[in-house]
Amino acid sequence: MTATTPVRFPTSILIGEDSITDASGGTFDHVFPGTGKVNAVIPMAGEEEVDRAVRSAAAAQREWAAMPVGQRRDLLLALATAVRAAADELGELNVHDYGVPVSMASGTAGLLASFLEYYAGWIDKATGQTAPTTHNADVNMIDREPYGVVGVIVPWNGPLVGIGMAVAPALAAGNAVVIKPPELAPMAPIRFGELCREVGLPPGLVNVVPGGPAAGEALVRHRGIGKIHFTGSGAIARQIAIAAADTLKPLSLELGGKSANVVFADADLDAAVMIAAFMGPITQSGQSCACGSRILVERPIYEEFLERLVQAVAHVPVGDPLDPSTVMGPVISQAATDRILGAIGGAVASGTGRLLTGGNRLGGALAGGYYIEPTVFADVPNASPLAQVETFGPVVSVMPFDTEDEAVAIANDSDFGLVAYAHTREFARAHRVARRLESGSVWVNTYSDIQPSGPYGGYKQSGYGRLGGIEGLHEFTQVKNIRIALG
Ligand code: NAD
């Protein structure tokens, strides 16, 4: 990737061997968040294309399931190699898709490749079980089979990671997939679909149908889909659960969070401040499901922590995501800008906490794009909307606590339970607190680091199901019990 070789914008719907540019869902004017200007026109899949994609996937799945395991493993490894080779290109597409800074963007392709490698490794190793029965002469086998065609609906804020976490295990388990990327970030997922073709996966094994809510709902309602994996917001997950009720379709849901980051007085303060800044307002401008947006700090270090956090975020370079020196880019859209500034304005108007830094949209050369200053509120009551509603922007709430019990109680006082962070040098407390926090992942003295081997998913309204690890492979299988009488 260089400034002199601009990346090609892939915009076709990919179904089987066809690349479709004229689709029943019309077109979408895709806007680059860095400038607020249209940078691509995307054909939108409607019900018709979704139906074609599901049929094409069903045919490819039969071919895939019949293929020797070693060949399937090698094809997924070849795909991982192709993704790594295209990491810069995919990263740059991510920048144009959703405004993530180029300094961070190609890492998402690397993580996608890691998921493909990890799950390729399971293909020839996953085994079933047998169990005794009351009739000793029976063979009682417990096997796992693919669902057939899996629909994968991904969010805009990390579509390649979402694909890695769900598509890699779905394929490894023997399924075909129809990926519905969001209209806000379709291009890197389409390029991924092209790579699937280029490495020789059976045509139709991976179909990519960019579209909006109508395409998503058509996928969820389709009778040819065996399972839906959805990553996105709780609000849309509820609509999906209602649509899925018609066919009683199984779902796995990776949803939002309002994650607590608990800093004890004995913590390594330098590390805790950097993690609070980067896993708070900075990384992806706070538009991350794992954003540590509620920072709980033990009272003896509270004021010093606030001072250091404000210093850390104030010095972060905010700007054009295509500039390699940029660490923090824009938020996704005008609508997101209005929502985030509304949450900040609402907190200020209601006297919620103290606004220590940020709170404004950036102007000057950045006025056309959707840039919001990293924003820190102190003394935020945990019951306030600022501390309870996912802002999905560069805004964090800091609050003091006096005891371990109080910290755990505040951290758990949330409808969400996706991730939690804790910082302490005390070994026993690290274990105690990690066990008491009501969330699917707990990161102690470290940052959010999604790994293929670590099952990731939510407690409470952060969703259900797990991606990553053997749990992630099982997520895309259904259990069959086969009993054969021998006597
Ligand atoms: P969103 O819920 O608005 O949209 C997600 C996807 O659903 C998009 O592809 C969208 O087109 C599609 N969709 C919209 N309406 C639909 C319908 N009626 N039926 C089917 N599909 C429909 O979420 P978003 O704004 O793209 O992403 C942000 C949210 O995702 C945040 O809440 C964030 O925390 C969450 N998220 C969670 C994880 C995780 O792993 N837990 C990862 C990334 C993002």
Side-chain angles (χ1 to χ4, degrees):
M1 172 179 53
T2 69
T4 51
T5 53
V7 71
R8 173 183 64 89
F9 286 178
T11 54
S12 301
I13 294 170
L14 307 179
I15 300 176
E17 285 178 295
D18 297 333
S19 299
I20 295 161
T21 51
D22 185 14
S24 68
T27 57
F28 178 75
D29 288 341
H30 181 273
V31 169
F32 177 46
T35 59
K37 296 201 173 104
V38 173
N39 64 351
V41 177
I42 312 293
M44 298 287 279
E47 218 176 312
E48 190 184 316
E49 289 75 23
V50 167
D51 181 54
R52 275 187 62 191
V54 176
R55 287 169 194 277
S56 146
Q61 194 270 332
R62 288 189 283 276
E63 188 186 337
W64 183 240
M67 203 181 269
V69 285
Q71 198 178 338
R72 279 198 268 152
R73 177 202 58 213
D74 291 348
L75 277 168
L76 283 200
L77 289 173
L79 180 58
T81 303
V83 166
R84 283 202 191 283
D88 283 350
E89 180 193 3
L90 288 164
E92 194 172 339
L93 287 172
N94 271 329
V95 183
H96 293 285
D97 265 338
Y98 64 102
V100 61
V102 69
S103 57
M104 305 192 170
S106 59
T108 64
L111 192 51
L112 161 56
S114 300
F115 271 92
L116 287 164
E117 287 154 357
Y118 175 82
Y119 281 111
W122 272 116
I123 291 183
D124 58 359
K125 295 176 194 69
T127 53
Q129 292 174 297
T130 60
T133 68
T134 51
H135 319 287
N136 281 338
D138 282 3
V139 176
N140 185 26
M141 298 193 301
I142 300 144
D143 214 354
R144 286 184 177 270
E145 295 187 344
Y147 280 100
V149 182
V150 170
V152 176
I153 302 176
V154 290
W156 55 263
N157 74 316
L160 292 182
V161 177
I163 287 172
M165 293 172 79
V167 171
L171 293 177
N175 301 280
V177 295
V178 177
I179 303 172
K180 197 210 75 63
E183 63 271 53
L184 294 176
M187 294 187 284
I190 295 171
R191 183 71 191 113
F192 169 75
E194 292 177 349
L195 291 171
C196 292
R197 289 177 174 181
E198 288 166 22
V199 301
L201 291 187
L205 190 71
V206 175
N207 304 275
V208 185
V209 292
E217 188 170 338
L219 196 61
V220 174
R221 290 191 179 277
H222 202 293
R223 291 166 57 94
I225 291 280
K227 169 156 187 166
I228 288 285
H229 173 76
F230 171 77
T231 303
S233 65
I236 302 296
R238 286 175 179 84
Q239 295 180 27
I240 286 177
I242 290 167
D246 238 8
T247 48
L248 294 176
K249 199 162 284 156
L251 301 173
S252 49
L253 302 173
E254 293 276 349
L255 310 178
K258 195 73 192 178
S259 300
N261 180 355
V262 184
V263 183
F264 289 94
D266 67 343
D268 172 343
L269 206 49
D270 292 336
V273 168
M274 286 320 286
I275 289 170
F278 277 85
M279 290 319 305
I282 305 303
T283 299
Q284 294 206 159
S285 306
Q287 303 168 115
S288 149
C289 56
C291 175
S293 50
R294 291 185 299 144
I295 305 172
L296 283 50
V297 184
E298 200 166 4
R299 196 155 330 253
I301 59 163
Y302 186 64
E303 289 303 332
E304 184 185 354
F305 184 92
L306 286 173
E307 225 170 87
R308 291 215 208 177
L309 181 64
V310 168
Q311 283 297 315
V313 304
H315 289 106
V316 165
V318 183
D320 178 4
L322 286 161
D323 179 339
S325 66
T326 293
V327 173
M328 184 174 154
V331 299
I332 184 70
S333 63
Q334 181 62 50
T337 307
D338 294 343
R339 191 196 67 242
I340 296 161
L341 293 177
I344 295 170
V348 171
S350 61
T352 301
R354 279 185 285 151
L355 176 59
L356 294 186
T357 185
N360 300 302
R361 183 172 183 169
L362 292 171
L366 300 178
Y370 311 123
Y371 299 88
I372 298 176
E373 293 170 329
T375 300
V376 177
F377 281 88
D379 310 344
V380 176
N382 191 54
S384 66
L386 196 60
Q388 291 293 324
V389 180
E390 188 182 34
T391 316
F392 222 55
V395 184
V396 290
S397 302
V398 193
M399 49 196 91
F401 69 86
D402 290 300
T403 65
E404 188 179 306
D405 282 351
E406 189 194 359
V408 169
I410 296 172
N412 289 342
D413 183 12
S414 165
D415 286 337
F416 295 105
L418 188 61
V419 310
Y421 304 80
H423 300 271
T424 177
R425 285 189 169 102
E426 199 193 308
F427 183 77
R429 174 153 59 197
H431 277 275
R432 235 176 12 241
V433 170
R435 291 213 163 95
R436 293 176 72 191
L437 290 170
E438 295 167 357
S439 72
S441 301
V442 179
W443 281 296
V444 181
N445 297 334
T446 186
Y447 55 93
S448 151
D449 180 22
I450 290 175
Q451 295 275 321
S453 58
Y456 187 75
Y459 279 23
K460 302 193 265 188
Q461 292 181 34
S462 291
Y464 43 81
R466 291 292 178 273
L467 300 182
I470 188 69
E471 290 81 0
L473 189 70
H474 289 170
E475 204 60 68
F476 297 98
T477 62
Q478 45 196 343
V479 176
K480 179 176 278 182
N481 184 202
I482 301 174
R483 190 107 28 102
I484 302 173
L486 299 180

